[in-house]
Amino acid sequence: MVPLMPFGRKANQLVGHMWCHLTQGALAISVGMYKRIRGLENLPKGPCILVAKHQSAWETLTFHTVVPDPAYILKKELTRIPLMGQFLLFSGQIAVDRSAGSSALKDMIKGAERALEDGRQIVIFPEGTRTPPGSDRPYHPGIYALYKAFPNTPVIPVAINSGMFWGRHSFMKYGGEVTMEFLPAIEPDLDRKTFMKTIKSRIDDRTRELEREAQAEFNLPTLTSRDVEIEEAREKAEAEQQEAKTAIPMKSVDQEKTPS
């Protein structure tokens, strides 16, 4: 589908839609993994902000098969992947340089504004990375920035139990129906503390219920607190390694500032 890349954003979105549908079809045939979508009555027609739990690669596929024109907020490093990175840029995804501080937030708002003006659906994963089922990772404040910047745009929490079927570091994938549930929109005009507490509790609480439901219905392996601890420790180590690669040693900076 590479020849379609030069033909604009909509052509590239078509590539994304087709690839995601094909991949989900392959999952259904190979391991019997299907999608179960709930709460579509809470999904508005037109632009909105979808704040989603992120446990697996599954939801990055599934939003493309459920909403008509998603715009993902993603880390800039992904745009450096050959071909895939160019596709992400050409299809109008919103790349954010997380090391850029306040300017990253401004770039995110600008990108979201363009997407919403085009009638698209913003998809943001507030935990910043994939997390294992049962984890309690804090939400980044960027979601409040979007909520505040676009007060007339519905903010829809989304609960997902995909990590029960397709873990981040697991080779195994399990059959069954993975659930994505759209919850009622967050009330307008909440202060930051109330908003952050409200959206996290709604998503996390419903996610726990979906995880227990999947475990009982499809006889999935039991997840223990030790499993969560191991996964979170691995994620922390990976994050530290990434920071070590990109950070400028303070000693070098001091040397640059010292007159020769």
Side-chain angles (χ1 to χ4, degrees):
M1 298 181 182
V2 171
L4 288 175
M5 278 184 160
F7 291 94
R9 187 186 69 77
K10 290 187 177 181
N12 282 270
Q13 278 290 72
L14 176 62
V15 171
H17 281 299
M18 293 174 67
W19 186 79
C20 292
H21 277 288
L22 286 170
T23 305
Q24 287 206 327
L27 285 169
I29 294 169
S30 60
V31 294
M33 186 186 298
Y34 298 89
K35 66 184 179 184
R36 175 190 288 164
I37 309 300
R38 293 174 175 168
L40 286 174
E41 67 276 7
N42 297 317
L43 185 62
K45 294 181 179 178
C48 61
I49 299 170
L50 303 172
V51 183
K53 197 72 175 175
H54 194 17
Q55 294 186 346
S56 170
W58 180 87
E59 50 268 16
T60 62
L61 301 170
T62 303
F63 278 115
H64 250 296
T65 67
V66 177
V67 298
D69 198 2
Y72 294 84
I73 295 176
L74 47 86
K75 57 185 179 181
K76 193 172 184 179
E77 295 92 320
L78 295 176
T79 65
R80 302 189 183 108
I81 301 172
L83 290 181
M84 177 62 77
Q86 285 71 52
F87 159 73
L88 292 172
L89 292 173
F90 293 162
S91 61
Q93 309 311 316
I94 304 168
V96 175
D97 184 356
R98 296 185 294 185
S99 64
S102 60
S103 64
L105 198 61
K106 293 177 182 178
D107 291 342
M108 182 185 73
I109 296 297
K110 289 180 182 178
E113 183 177 20
R114 290 193 295 269
L116 292 172
E117 286 175 353
D118 289 339
R120 303 177 68 191
Q121 300 77 39
I122 304 294
V123 179
I124 182 170
F125 302 112
E127 293 162 308
T129 188
R130 287 172 292 177
T131 59
S135 65
D136 187 26
R137 186 183 294 268
Y139 286 15
H140 293 298
I143 52 172
Y144 180 72
L146 292 172
Y147 172 79
K148 194 73 174 177
F150 308 106
N152 297 321
T153 302
V155 174
I156 311 297
V158 186
I160 295 165
N161 63 5
S162 57
M164 303 294 294
F165 300 83
W166 181 353
R168 177 182 178 184
H169 293 289
S170 174
F171 174 78
M172 291 297 296
K173 296 172 180 62
Y174 298 94
E177 292 186 335
V178 189
T179 301
M180 171 182 285
E181 183 168 344
F182 296 92
L183 307 176
I186 298 294
E187 298 81 356
D189 301 321
L190 299 179
D191 61 77
R192 176 172 172 169
K193 183 177 180 180
T194 304
F195 171 82
M196 295 298 290
K197 182 179 179 181
T198 299
I199 198 162
K200 178 173 170 56
S201 63
R202 289 188 187 176
I203 294 176
D204 285 5
D205 290 351
R206 185 56 185 150
T207 295
R208 301 292 174 268
E209 293 173 0
L210 293 179
E211 289 168 358
R212 290 192 292 269
E213 179 183 298
Q215 207 161 50
E217 185 176 359
F218 300 106
N219 195 29
L220 298 172
T222 302
L223 189 76
T224 68
S225 58
R226 179 60 180 161
D227 295 327
V228 175
E229 290 172 3
I230 292 172
E231 180 70 10
E232 290 183 336
R234 180 171 4 195
E235 290 177 357
K236 183 179 179 181
E238 289 178 355
E240 290 173 350
Q241 289 176 359
Q242 184 64 29
E243 289 177 5
K245 290 179 182 178
T246 57
I248 301 174
M250 292 302 297
K251 184 177 180 180
S252 300
V253 175
D254 292 340
Q255 287 174 349
E256 290 177 5
K257 292 180 179 179
T258 304
S260 56

mmCIF file of all heavy atoms in Angstrom, residues 166-199:
data_model
loop_
_atom_site.group_PDB
_atom_site.id
_atom_site.type_symbol
_atom_site.label_atom_id
_atom_site.label_comp_id
_atom_site.label_asym_id
_atom_site.label_seq_id
_atom_site.Cartn_x
_atom_site.Cartn_y
_atom_site.Cartn_z
ATOM 1 N N TRP A 166 -3.829 -10.322 25.154
ATOM 2 C CA TRP A 166 -2.644 -10.026 24.353
ATOM 3 C C TRP A 166 -1.738 -9.118 25.180
ATOM 4 O O TRP A 166 -1.842 -7.898 25.130
ATOM 5 C CB TRP A 166 -3.076 -9.344 23.052
ATOM 6 C CG TRP A 166 -1.970 -8.987 22.092
ATOM 7 C CD1 TRP A 166 -0.635 -9.081 22.294
ATOM 8 C CD2 TRP A 166 -2.137 -8.466 20.767
ATOM 9 N NE1 TRP A 166 0.061 -8.646 21.202
ATOM 10 C CE2 TRP A 166 -0.847 -8.277 20.241
ATOM 11 C CE3 TRP A 166 -3.239 -8.153 19.991
ATOM 12 C CZ2 TRP A 166 -0.638 -7.769 18.956
ATOM 13 C CZ3 TRP A 166 -3.026 -7.646 18.725
ATOM 14 C CH2 TRP A 166 -1.744 -7.464 18.210
ATOM 15 N N GLY A 167 -0.864 -9.718 25.974
ATOM 16 C CA GLY A 167 0.018 -8.951 26.843
ATOM 17 C C GLY A 167 1.144 -8.287 26.079
ATOM 18 O O GLY A 167 1.553 -8.746 25.001
ATOM 19 N N ARG A 168 1.680 -7.235 26.647
ATOM 20 C CA ARG A 168 2.714 -6.455 25.975
ATOM 21 C C ARG A 168 3.966 -7.287 25.677
ATOM 22 O O ARG A 168 4.515 -7.235 24.592
ATOM 23 C CB ARG A 168 3.089 -5.249 26.845
ATOM 24 C CG ARG A 168 4.208 -4.416 26.263
ATOM 25 C CD ARG A 168 4.580 -3.262 27.157
ATOM 26 N NE ARG A 168 5.691 -2.510 26.593
ATOM 27 C CZ ARG A 168 6.289 -1.495 27.191
ATOM 28 N NH1 ARG A 168 5.871 -1.103 28.383
ATOM 29 N NH2 ARG A 168 7.292 -0.860 26.629
ATOM 30 N N HIS A 169 4.431 -8.045 26.645
ATOM 31 C CA HIS A 169 5.659 -8.819 26.476
ATOM 32 C C HIS A 169 5.389 -10.322 26.343
ATOM 33 O O HIS A 169 6.285 -11.125 26.518
ATOM 34 C CB HIS A 169 6.598 -8.584 27.655
ATOM 35 C CG HIS A 169 7.130 -7.180 27.724
ATOM 36 N ND1 HIS A 169 8.050 -6.690 26.824
ATOM 37 C CD2 HIS A 169 6.868 -6.164 28.584
ATOM 38 C CE1 HIS A 169 8.338 -5.435 27.134
ATOM 39 N NE2 HIS A 169 7.630 -5.098 28.182
ATOM 40 N N SER A 170 4.157 -10.663 26.045
ATOM 41 C CA SER A 170 3.793 -12.078 25.980
ATOM 42 C C SER A 170 3.697 -12.554 24.539
ATOM 43 O O SER A 170 3.055 -11.916 23.696
ATOM 44 C CB SER A 170 2.448 -12.295 26.686
ATOM 45 O OG SER A 170 2.010 -13.624 26.523
ATOM 46 N N PHE A 171 4.345 -13.680 24.249
ATOM 47 C CA PHE A 171 4.207 -14.286 22.931
ATOM 48 C C PHE A 171 2.807 -14.863 22.750
ATOM 49 O O PHE A 171 2.238 -14.837 21.656
ATOM 50 C CB PHE A 171 5.255 -15.390 22.757
ATOM 51 C CG PHE A 171 5.092 -16.168 21.482
ATOM 52 C CD1 PHE A 171 5.516 -15.650 20.266
ATOM 53 C CD2 PHE A 171 4.493 -17.421 21.487
ATOM 54 C CE1 PHE A 171 5.352 -16.364 19.084
ATOM 55 C CE2 PHE A 171 4.338 -18.149 20.319
ATOM 56 C CZ PHE A 171 4.764 -17.610 19.116
ATOM 57 N N MET A 172 2.217 -15.366 23.845
ATOM 58 C CA MET A 172 0.911 -16.010 23.783
ATOM 59 C C MET A 172 -0.211 -14.996 23.567
ATOM 60 O O MET A 172 -0.207 -13.913 24.148
ATOM 61 C CB MET A 172 0.639 -16.783 25.073
ATOM 62 C CG MET A 172 1.518 -18.005 25.251
ATOM 63 S SD MET A 172 1.253 -19.242 23.960
ATOM 64 C CE MET A 172 -0.450 -19.700 24.295
ATOM 65 N N LYS A 173 -1.153 -15.382 22.728
ATOM 66 C CA LYS A 173 -2.387 -14.620 22.544
ATOM 67 C C LYS A 173 -3.538 -15.594 22.740
ATOM 68 O O LYS A 173 -3.486 -16.725 22.271
ATOM 69 C CB LYS A 173 -2.426 -13.979 21.157
ATOM 70 C CG LYS A 173 -1.322 -12.947 20.951
ATOM 71 C CD LYS A 173 -1.260 -12.463 19.516
ATOM 72 C CE LYS A 173 -0.145 -11.432 19.343
ATOM 73 N NZ LYS A 173 1.188 -11.995 19.640
ATOM 74 N N TYR A 174 -4.574 -15.144 23.441
ATOM 75 C CA TYR A 174 -5.662 -16.046 23.845
ATOM 76 C C TYR A 174 -6.950 -15.691 23.117
ATOM 77 O O TYR A 174 -7.264 -14.516 22.892
ATOM 78 C CB TYR A 174 -5.870 -15.964 25.360
ATOM 79 C CG TYR A 174 -4.662 -16.404 26.145
ATOM 80 C CD1 TYR A 174 -3.719 -15.481 26.579
ATOM 81 C CD2 TYR A 174 -4.440 -17.751 26.444
ATOM 82 C CE1 TYR A 174 -2.593 -15.877 27.283
ATOM 83 C CE2 TYR A 174 -3.324 -18.161 27.152
ATOM 84 C CZ TYR A 174 -2.409 -17.218 27.568
ATOM 85 O OH TYR A 174 -1.288 -17.615 28.267
ATOM 86 N N GLY A 175 -7.707 -16.717 22.780
ATOM 87 C CA GLY A 175 -8.971 -16.529 22.096
ATOM 88 C C GLY A 175 -10.055 -16.017 23.035
ATOM 89 O O GLY A 175 -9.978 -16.168 24.254
ATOM 90 N N GLY A 176 -11.070 -15.421 22.442
ATOM 91 C CA GLY A 176 -12.189 -14.872 23.206
ATOM 92 C C GLY A 176 -12.617 -13.544 22.627
ATOM 93 O O GLY A 176 -12.179 -13.162 21.533
ATOM 94 N N GLU A 177 -13.469 -12.845 23.340
ATOM 95 C CA GLU A 177 -13.953 -11.540 22.891
ATOM 96 C C GLU A 177 -13.342 -10.445 23.760
ATOM 97 O O GLU A 177 -13.680 -10.320 24.942
ATOM 98 C CB GLU A 177 -15.479 -11.488 22.948
ATOM 99 C CG GLU A 177 -16.145 -12.410 21.932
ATOM 100 C CD GLU A 177 -17.653 -12.223 21.904
ATOM 101 O OE1 GLU A 177 -18.223 -11.780 22.920
ATOM 102 O OE2 GLU A 177 -18.260 -12.528 20.873
ATOM 103 N N VAL A 178 -12.454 -9.671 23.158
ATOM 104 C CA VAL A 178 -11.841 -8.540 23.859
ATOM 105 C C VAL A 178 -12.849 -7.399 23.886
ATOM 106 O O VAL A 178 -13.460 -7.077 22.865
ATOM 107 C CB VAL A 178 -10.553 -8.093 23.153
ATOM 108 C CG1 VAL A 178 -9.806 -7.066 23.999
ATOM 109 C CG2 VAL A 178 -9.652 -9.280 22.853
ATOM 110 N N THR A 179 -13.019 -6.782 25.048
ATOM 111 C CA THR A 179 -14.055 -5.756 25.196
ATOM 112 C C THR A 179 -13.468 -4.360 25.197
ATOM 113 O O THR A 179 -12.504 -4.069 25.913
ATOM 114 C CB THR A 179 -14.843 -5.971 26.501
ATOM 115 O OG1 THR A 179 -15.445 -7.267 26.474
ATOM 116 C CG2 THR A 179 -15.936 -4.915 26.650
ATOM 117 N N MET A 180 -14.066 -3.492 24.392
ATOM 118 C CA MET A 180 -13.836 -2.051 24.430
ATOM 119 C C MET A 180 -15.173 -1.403 24.774
ATOM 120 O O MET A 180 -16.165 -1.619 24.072
ATOM 121 C CB MET A 180 -13.321 -1.536 23.079
ATOM 122 C CG MET A 180 -13.260 -0.020 22.970
ATOM 123 S SD MET A 180 -12.707 0.548 21.325
ATOM 124 C CE MET A 180 -10.950 0.210 21.411
ATOM 125 N N GLU A 181 -15.194 -0.640 25.860
ATOM 126 C CA GLU A 181 -16.460 -0.049 26.304
ATOM 127 C C GLU A 181 -16.342 1.467 26.401
ATOM 128 O O GLU A 181 -15.498 1.995 27.128
ATOM 129 C CB GLU A 181 -16.879 -0.624 27.655
ATOM 130 C CG GLU A 181 -18.216 -0.100 28.135
ATOM 131 C CD GLU A 181 -18.773 -0.867 29.325
ATOM 132 O OE1 GLU A 181 -18.292 -1.991 29.597
ATOM 133 O OE2 GLU A 181 -19.699 -0.355 29.972
ATOM 134 N N PHE A 182 -17.211 2.166 25.661
ATOM 135 C CA PHE A 182 -17.273 3.627 25.715
ATOM 136 C C PHE A 182 -18.206 4.032 26.858
ATOM 137 O O PHE A 182 -19.375 3.641 26.879
ATOM 138 C CB PHE A 182 -17.781 4.187 24.390
ATOM 139 C CG PHE A 182 -16.868 3.909 23.228
ATOM 140 C CD1 PHE A 182 -17.044 2.770 22.450
ATOM 141 C CD2 PHE A 182 -15.832 4.768 22.926
ATOM 142 C CE1 PHE A 182 -16.200 2.499 21.381
ATOM 143 C CE2 PHE A 182 -14.978 4.508 21.863
ATOM 144 C CZ PHE A 182 -15.161 3.372 21.092
ATOM 145 N N LEU A 183 -17.684 4.819 27.787
ATOM 146 C CA LEU A 183 -18.441 5.247 28.953
ATOM 147 C C LEU A 183 -19.054 6.625 28.715
ATOM 148 O O LEU A 183 -18.664 7.327 27.772
ATOM 149 C CB LEU A 183 -17.521 5.271 30.179
ATOM 150 C CG LEU A 183 -16.749 3.963 30.450
ATOM 151 C CD1 LEU A 183 -15.792 4.137 31.620
ATOM 152 C CD2 LEU A 183 -17.697 2.812 30.692
ATOM 153 N N PRO A 184 -20.021 7.044 29.541
ATOM 154 C CA PRO A 184 -20.615 8.374 29.361
ATOM 155 C C PRO A 184 -19.576 9.487 29.439
ATOM 156 O O PRO A 184 -18.559 9.370 30.135
ATOM 157 C CB PRO A 184 -21.607 8.462 30.527
ATOM 158 C CG PRO A 184 -21.955 7.035 30.832
ATOM 159 C CD PRO A 184 -20.705 6.258 30.591
ATOM 160 N N ALA A 185 -19.833 10.559 28.710
ATOM 161 C CA ALA A 185 -18.900 11.687 28.644
ATOM 162 C C ALA A 185 -18.679 12.311 30.033
ATOM 163 O O ALA A 185 -19.573 12.318 30.881
ATOM 164 C CB ALA A 185 -19.428 12.742 27.681
ATOM 165 N N ILE A 186 -17.486 12.836 30.231
ATOM 166 C CA ILE A 186 -17.156 13.536 31.469
ATOM 167 C C ILE A 186 -17.909 14.861 31.517
ATOM 168 O O ILE A 186 -18.039 15.572 30.510
ATOM 169 C CB ILE A 186 -15.633 13.792 31.549
ATOM 170 C CG1 ILE A 186 -14.882 12.468 31.579
ATOM 171 C CG2 ILE A 186 -15.289 14.627 32.773
ATOM 172 C CD1 ILE A 186 -15.102 11.630 32.814
ATOM 173 N N GLU A 187 -18.389 15.223 32.687
ATOM 174 C CA GLU A 187 -19.129 16.469 32.860
ATOM 175 C C GLU A 187 -18.243 17.677 32.529
ATOM 176 O O GLU A 187 -17.032 17.652 32.763
ATOM 177 C CB GLU A 187 -19.631 16.597 34.302
ATOM 178 C CG GLU A 187 -20.595 15.499 34.729
ATOM 179 C CD GLU A 187 -19.893 14.202 35.151
ATOM 180 O OE1 GLU A 187 -18.657 14.144 35.036
ATOM 181 O OE2 GLU A 187 -20.588 13.273 35.578
ATOM 182 N N PRO A 188 -18.818 18.749 32.000
ATOM 183 C CA PRO A 188 -18.023 19.938 31.675
ATOM 184 C C PRO A 188 -17.668 20.758 32.918
ATOM 185 O O PRO A 188 -18.249 20.576 33.996
ATOM 186 C CB PRO A 188 -18.951 20.735 30.752
ATOM 187 C CG PRO A 188 -20.336 20.331 31.177
ATOM 188 C CD PRO A 188 -20.234 18.886 31.586
ATOM 189 N N ASP A 189 -16.689 21.655 32.741
ATOM 190 C CA ASP A 189 -16.332 22.674 33.743
ATOM 191 C C ASP A 189 -15.829 22.111 35.071
ATOM 192 O O ASP A 189 -16.019 22.726 36.117
ATOM 193 C CB ASP A 189 -17.532 23.599 34.009
ATOM 194 C CG ASP A 189 -18.004 24.303 32.756
ATOM 195 O OD1 ASP A 189 -17.150 24.703 31.947
ATOM 196 O OD2 ASP A 189 -19.228 24.433 32.583
ATOM 197 N N LEU A 190 -15.172 20.961 35.045
ATOM 198 C CA LEU A 190 -14.568 20.437 36.271
ATOM 199 C C LEU A 190 -13.196 21.057 36.471
ATOM 200 O O LEU A 190 -12.484 21.357 35.506
ATOM 201 C CB LEU A 190 -14.422 18.913 36.193
ATOM 202 C CG LEU A 190 -15.703 18.087 36.037
ATOM 203 C CD1 LEU A 190 -15.356 16.601 35.951
ATOM 204 C CD2 LEU A 190 -16.672 18.340 37.176
ATOM 205 N N ASP A 191 -12.801 21.268 37.729
ATOM 206 C CA ASP A 191 -11.442 21.726 37.975
ATOM 207 C C ASP A 191 -10.474 20.567 37.742
ATOM 208 O O ASP A 191 -10.875 19.405 37.621
ATOM 209 C CB ASP A 191 -11.293 22.284 39.391
ATOM 210 C CG ASP A 191 -11.587 21.246 40.464
ATOM 211 O OD1 ASP A 191 -10.717 20.387 40.701
ATOM 212 O OD2 ASP A 191 -12.685 21.281 41.058
ATOM 213 N N ARG A 192 -9.185 20.901 37.700
ATOM 214 C CA ARG A 192 -8.184 19.894 37.316
ATOM 215 C C ARG A 192 -8.185 18.686 38.251
ATOM 216 O O ARG A 192 -8.187 17.538 37.789
ATOM 217 C CB ARG A 192 -6.792 20.537 37.307
ATOM 218 C CG ARG A 192 -5.673 19.555 37.027
ATOM 219 C CD ARG A 192 -4.362 20.258 36.844
ATOM 220 N NE ARG A 192 -3.249 19.328 36.750
ATOM 221 C CZ ARG A 192 -2.025 19.650 36.376
ATOM 222 N NH1 ARG A 192 -1.752 20.903 36.051
ATOM 223 N NH2 ARG A 192 -1.066 18.747 36.320
ATOM 224 N N LYS A 193 -8.177 18.916 39.534
ATOM 225 C CA LYS A 193 -8.105 17.816 40.486
ATOM 226 C C LYS A 193 -9.319 16.906 40.366
ATOM 227 O O LYS A 193 -9.191 15.663 40.344
ATOM 228 C CB LYS A 193 -7.994 18.359 41.910
ATOM 229 C CG LYS A 193 -7.836 17.283 42.972
ATOM 230 C CD LYS A 193 -7.656 17.898 44.345
ATOM 231 C CE LYS A 193 -7.505 16.816 45.417
ATOM 232 N NZ LYS A 193 -7.334 17.406 46.774
ATOM 233 N N THR A 194 -10.496 17.500 40.268
ATOM 234 C CA THR A 194 -11.727 16.717 40.157
ATOM 235 C C THR A 194 -11.762 15.941 38.851
ATOM 236 O O THR A 194 -12.144 14.762 38.809
ATOM 237 C CB THR A 194 -12.956 17.619 40.265
ATOM 238 O OG1 THR A 194 -12.892 18.360 41.495
ATOM 239 C CG2 THR A 194 -14.239 16.812 40.231
ATOM 240 N N PHE A 195 -11.353 16.608 37.760
ATOM 241 C CA PHE A 195 -11.353 15.948 36.454
ATOM 242 C C PHE A 195 -10.429 14.735 36.450
ATOM 243 O O PHE A 195 -10.816 13.643 36.015
ATOM 244 C CB PHE A 195 -10.929 16.934 35.371
ATOM 245 C CG PHE A 195 -10.693 16.288 34.029
ATOM 246 C CD1 PHE A 195 -11.749 16.020 33.176
ATOM 247 C CD2 PHE A 195 -9.411 15.940 33.627
ATOM 248 C CE1 PHE A 195 -11.535 15.408 31.947
ATOM 249 C CE2 PHE A 195 -9.182 15.336 32.399
ATOM 250 C CZ PHE A 195 -10.254 15.070 31.560
ATOM 251 N N MET A 196 -9.194 14.919 36.917
ATOM 252 C CA MET A 196 -8.221 13.831 36.894
ATOM 253 C C MET A 196 -8.683 12.656 37.755
ATOM 254 O O MET A 196 -8.548 11.487 37.362
ATOM 255 C CB MET A 196 -6.853 14.330 37.364
ATOM 256 C CG MET A 196 -6.217 15.374 36.449
ATOM 257 S SD MET A 196 -5.882 14.778 34.776
ATOM 258 C CE MET A 196 -4.547 13.617 35.091
ATOM 259 N N LYS A 197 -9.232 12.959 38.910
ATOM 260 C CA LYS A 197 -9.723 11.901 39.789
ATOM 261 C C LYS A 197 -10.917 11.183 39.171
ATOM 262 O O LYS A 197 -11.015 9.941 39.220
ATOM 263 C CB LYS A 197 -10.112 12.486 41.150
ATOM 264 C CG LYS A 197 -10.597 11.454 42.149
ATOM 265 C CD LYS A 197 -10.941 12.099 43.484
ATOM 266 C CE LYS A 197 -11.443 11.054 44.478
ATOM 267 N NZ LYS A 197 -11.796 11.686 45.794
ATOM 268 N N THR A 198 -11.816 11.947 38.566
ATOM 269 C CA THR A 198 -13.033 11.378 37.983
ATOM 270 C C THR A 198 -12.728 10.461 36.815
ATOM 271 O O THR A 198 -13.204 9.312 36.753
ATOM 272 C CB THR A 198 -13.978 12.501 37.520
ATOM 273 O OG1 THR A 198 -14.349 13.304 38.656
ATOM 274 C CG2 THR A 198 -15.236 11.924 36.877
ATOM 275 N N ILE A 199 -11.908 10.935 35.882
ATOM 276 C CA ILE A 199 -11.675 10.131 34.677
ATOM 277 C C ILE A 199 -10.852 8.885 34.995
ATOM 278 O O ILE A 199 -11.092 7.812 34.443
ATOM 279 C CB ILE A 199 -11.024 10.988 33.568
ATOM 280 C CG1 ILE A 199 -11.203 10.294 32.218
ATOM 281 C CG2 ILE A 199 -9.540 11.272 33.849
ATOM 282 C CD1 ILE A 199 -11.002 11.205 31.035
#
